[in-house]
Amino acid sequence: MGTRTISVDDASPGSRVALAVGATAIAAVLALSCVVILGLWPGGPALTGGLCMVLAGLLGGACAAYAAVRRSGALRRAWLLLASMMSMNAVGGALWLAYGGASSTPRALSVADALYLLALVPAVAGLLLYPMASGLRRTWGQVLMDGLVLGSSMLLLSGLLALHEVSRALEGSEAFVHLVYPVTDVVMLSLVVVLLLRSAGRARIDVVLVAMTFAAFLVADTGYALSSVRGQEANSVYQLGYVAAALFLASAALAAATLETRPRVLQRHLSGPVAPILPDIAALAALATCLAVGVTGDVQIVLASAVLLLTTLRQLARTTLNTRMHRDLERRVAERTEELRRITEEHRRLDAMKQEFVSAVSHELRTPLTAIRGSLEMLADGDAGDLPPQAQPVVEMAARGSERLSRLVDDIIDLERLESGTFGFHPAAHDLHLLLTDAAESLVPLAREAGVDLRVSPVTARVVCDGDRVTQALVNLVGNALKFTPAGGAVTVETAVADEWVQVSVVDTGRGIPAHELAAIFGRFHQVDPDDARRNAGTGLGLAITQRIVDGLGGRIWAESTLGQGSTFHFTLPLDPPQADPLEASNTDGGRGGTGSGHGRRTRTPVLVLVPSLPQAAPQGGREPATRSA
């Protein structure tokens, strides 16, 4: 169950009216209180700050009761208790006004003070019941320690900066009445702050406003205690704190009635830049204040000792927890390392089994396949006697199938040897032009049969590579290009020089490859069109083998394509260093080298045409297409 915000437009008419009335009342009471308490009332002090406090308390109680009606479960009980607190405060304020306020007799045991003191009970109970965060059972130790450090530090600061004056001026029950409120406020504020810091989840505006309520109560109660001992109670500015506290609580109640929330989740380990160190910062500030202003009285000495002791215990607990986490992390790393070791051993065992299988395929399948292919070719050629007319197509189909199966076995063996590292590479300096022409000339029959121009751009570069493997890669790329280029098209092998590399590109004018397939075409048995394997007798392993050959030689391979216009496969090979400068000179001599698109100087002209394409057959007539001269 997530947190869903209910907008005012989605609420019922009664809810919209209640929200509008509540927001308007909060704004009106705030404005009136500022004018009255700050002495800006134009007609004189007909209203008093105490009356504004009573109005704000009644408004806070009404909004809290409204939130209790709108909610259910623990949230309803919490708001009922908070509504009781605000109602008791409002009644106590009214009685305080009726007794004459500051001009009354000593108030230590007055009915108003009794109501104020009793209001602390539902306040504490409501705060404890408020569903702010879940998971307290597993984190109560950390929450308690953080709360004790933060609370004792705030109490020490309050005592040093303000309450020491009250404790010296008052005695007995009167001192108790004036000191119990700020002390309780500090405890409750510390609890809310710790729960906010230690929880994670969606923002809870109602919880933030509740924290601001008790912060305002702390400021107001401290100001009230100081004003009492200084004789400055009438319309004192501290009364704005009580008004602000009541209005913060009213706003929190409206937020709780408007927002459908769930408790934030308490965390075992604090995160973020502030949360882990905020209790320590409060403790350091309190102890530094002790050193600056001095410690007087037993209470302050006890509080300072408590802050120092609790902070030390918290650090010891955190150190113990971190040590335990470190040991647990080391244990988990050791377990994962052992698991990876077992997986690696299993992988090696399976890899050895795979190598044995590949070896078995190499020795056990190649020999019978060769015999089958030879026998079928003899039957198809008539060396074993003439075949019946109906048997000839069957034998030819079987011969093509055996040839494809033989190629598939060879490709699987090559691919497995490449991936296992047993496919040996023997790098040496080679004339790149000879490698290109050798590969292209081996495909002349295929190009002539397809009616496709096969062109090779001349190049004088020397490269460091395994010549046989590069030839194999070129045969795969050019063969693929010829298969997917229609009659009358062209396949061109181009080169470009960039820095210490030569880029070889096989360009065709075929159907192209969809953009989303460009990354997948180098996978095993991948076909852009499932019918390609049947139409072109391909195994789907040529590009995978080519990629691993190029990778093994230290280069890289990639493809570019435009649907309907053709495809280009690029791969790079390292230059033979002594030949780098002559290559540059040859590529720029006489203006023969064209400029590639960001890849260096591309040698485009002159182009060696190995196989001119055959013209398309005439629309009418059955003549064989003539060979076009170069």
Side-chain angles (χ1 to χ4, degrees):
M1 183 177 64
T3 301
R4 182 172 61 90
T5 301
I6 305 174
S7 64
V8 177
D9 294 335
D10 296 334
S12 64
S15 299
R16 290 198 297 268
V17 171
L19 292 174
V21 171
T24 303
I26 290 172
V29 171
L30 178 61
L32 178 63
S33 301
C34 291
V35 170
V36 171
I37 295 175
L38 296 178
L40 304 177
W41 188 254
L47 294 175
T48 63
L51 183 58
C52 293
M53 291 164 51
V54 173
L55 290 175
L58 291 174
L59 179 58
C63 291
Y66 173 70
V69 172
R70 291 274 296 172
R71 312 307 294 164
S72 62
L75 199 56
R76 167 177 288 182
R77 293 190 292 272
W79 278 113
L80 283 174
L81 290 168
L82 293 175
S84 302
M85 174 197 73
M86 294 309 300
S87 300
M88 295 170 72
N89 281 339
V91 173
L95 292 175
W96 183 74
L97 289 176
Y99 291 155
S103 61
S104 64
T105 57
R107 302 175 44 253
L109 298 175
S110 67
V111 177
D113 282 318
L115 285 174
Y116 289 145
L117 291 173
L118 288 175
L120 294 177
V121 177
V124 174
L127 189 62
L128 294 176
L129 285 176
Y130 204 91
M132 299 181 192
S134 62
L136 185 60
R137 289 185 177 180
R138 68 174 185 273
T139 58
W140 69 269
Q142 295 93 326
V143 172
L144 178 61
M145 185 59 69
D146 289 350
L148 288 174
V149 172
L150 187 60
S152 60
S153 301
M154 293 175 63
L155 281 175
L156 180 57
L157 283 172
S158 299
L160 293 170
L161 300 178
L163 298 182
H164 69 284
E165 183 178 348
V166 178
S167 62
R168 286 200 304 265
L170 301 176
E171 295 180 356
S173 59
E174 191 171 2
F176 171 77
V177 169
H178 286 81
L179 293 176
V180 68
Y181 303 120
V183 171
T184 307
D185 295 334
V186 166
V187 172
M188 291 191 289
L189 179 60
S190 301
L191 175 61
V192 178
V193 170
V194 168
L195 290 178
L196 282 174
L197 290 176
R198 275 204 167 269
S199 58
R202 294 284 296 272
R204 288 285 300 272
I205 185 62
D206 57 327
V207 177
V208 175
L209 288 170
V210 169
M212 294 172 66
T213 298
F214 288 102
F217 270 131
L218 175 60
V219 173
D221 287 331
T222 304
Y224 162 70
L226 290 175
S227 298
S228 297
V229 300
R230 295 172 183 176
Q232 301 172 347
E233 285 198 63
N235 278 3
S236 297
V237 177
Y238 78 85
Q239 293 174 330
L240 274 178
Y242 289 116
V243 173
L247 297 183
F248 280 139
L249 191 66
S251 302
L254 292 178
T258 305
L259 298 176
E260 192 169 329
T261 59
R262 72 173 182 181
R264 291 159 61 89
V265 179
L266 285 173
Q267 298 176 302
R268 283 184 174 272
H269 311 293
L270 290 172
S271 59
V274 177
I277 61 174
L278 183 60
D280 300 320
I281 292 175
L284 288 175
L287 295 175
T289 306
C290 288
L291 295 176
V293 303
V295 178
T296 59
D298 296 337
V299 175
Q300 292 183 5
I301 293 175
V302 171
L303 281 175
S305 302
V307 170
L308 186 59
L309 177 62
L310 290 171
T311 305
T312 302
L313 291 176
R314 180 175 181 271
Q315 290 303 321
L316 288 175
R318 287 174 60 86
T319 301
T320 303
L321 180 61
N322 290 337
T323 303
R324 188 182 303 117
M325 290 175 56
H326 182 70
R327 287 200 298 264
D328 182 65
L329 182 60
E330 287 184 337
R331 178 183 56 80
R332 293 170 60 185
V333 169
E335 291 176 354
R336 183 57 58 88
T337 303
E338 178 63 21
E339 180 181 353
L340 291 175
R341 187 188 64 79
R342 291 196 300 268
I343 293 175
T344 302
E345 290 180 354
E346 181 67 13
H347 176 74
R348 289 174 179 171
R349 187 182 67 82
L350 294 176
D351 189 64
M353 292 176 60
K354 182 177 67 174
Q355 294 303 318
E356 292 177 3
F357 171 76
V358 171
S359 178
V361 168
S362 174
H363 292 85
E364 302 298 331
L365 292 184
R366 276 181 169 174
T367 301
L369 277 176
T370 301
I372 292 172
R373 285 185 59 191
S375 301
L376 291 173
E377 289 174 357
M378 290 177 62
L379 289 175
D381 294 339
D383 295 339
D386 294 334
L387 295 175
Q390 63 270 24
Q392 186 69 30
V394 176
V395 172
E396 291 177 353
M397 182 174 62
R400 290 193 299 271
S402 66
E403 183 179 356
R404 182 185 174 194
L405 182 58
S406 179
R407 287 198 305 270
L408 177 61
V409 170
D410 291 340
D411 287 346
I412 290 176
I413 293 172
D414 287 345
L415 185 60
E416 294 300 333
R417 290 173 60 197
L418 282 167
E419 291 188 343
S420 64
T422 60
F423 197 102
F425 289 99
H426 306 284
H430 292 274
D431 187 333
L432 180 59
H433 183 71
L434 291 180
L435 297 178
L436 299 181
T437 53
D438 286 347
E441 287 174 353
S442 68
L443 295 169
V444 165
L446 180 61
R448 183 175 290 113
E449 180 182 354
V452 175
D453 274 353
L454 179 55
R455 306 171 180 176
V456 177
S457 298
V459 60
T460 59
R462 292 181 64 81
V463 292
V464 178
C465 66
D466 186 319
D468 292 338
R469 303 287 77 80
V470 170
T471 301
Q472 182 181 359
L474 284 167
V475 168
N476 287 338
L477 293 177
V478 176
N480 270 358
L482 291 172
K483 291 177 184 178
F484 297 106
T485 300
V491 173
T492 306
V493 182
E494 300 177 349
T495 56
V497 178
D499 299 328
E500 300 177 354
W501 298 86
V502 173
Q503 177 179 306
V504 180
S505 303
V506 178
V507 186
D508 66 58
T509 57
R511 70 189 185 192
I513 303 171
H516 66 276
E517 293 279 357
L518 289 176
I521 55 176
F522 294 100
R524 293 183 174 192
F525 302 106
H526 184 81
Q527 301 282 355
V528 175
D529 187 338
D531 291 334
D532 288 341
R534 178 179 54 81
R535 289 196 299 263
N536 299 309
T539 64
L541 293 175
L543 290 179
I545 293 173
T546 301
Q547 182 187 45
R548 285 156 179 80
I549 289 176
V550 173
D551 290 343
L553 294 173
R556 67 186 187 96
I557 185 170
W558 70 99
E560 300 172 352
S561 183
T562 302
L563 282 177
Q565 298 182 17
S567 305
T568 303
F569 285 81
H570 309 276
F571 68 91
T572 59
L573 294 172
L575 280 170
D576 185 21
Q579 299 299 323
D581 291 337
L583 172 63
E584 181 177 355
S586 66
N587 282 336
T588 56
D589 183 31
R592 300 193 316 175
T595 301
S597 57
H599 299 296
R601 296 168 302 281
R602 186 180 298 279
T603 57
R604 293 186 179 276
T605 57
V607 176
L608 175 63
V609 182
L610 298 178
V611 180
S613 64
L614 301 179
Q616 296 290 334
Q620 295 179 351
R623 294 180 301 169
E624 291 289 333
T627 302
R628 189 173 59 195
S629 60

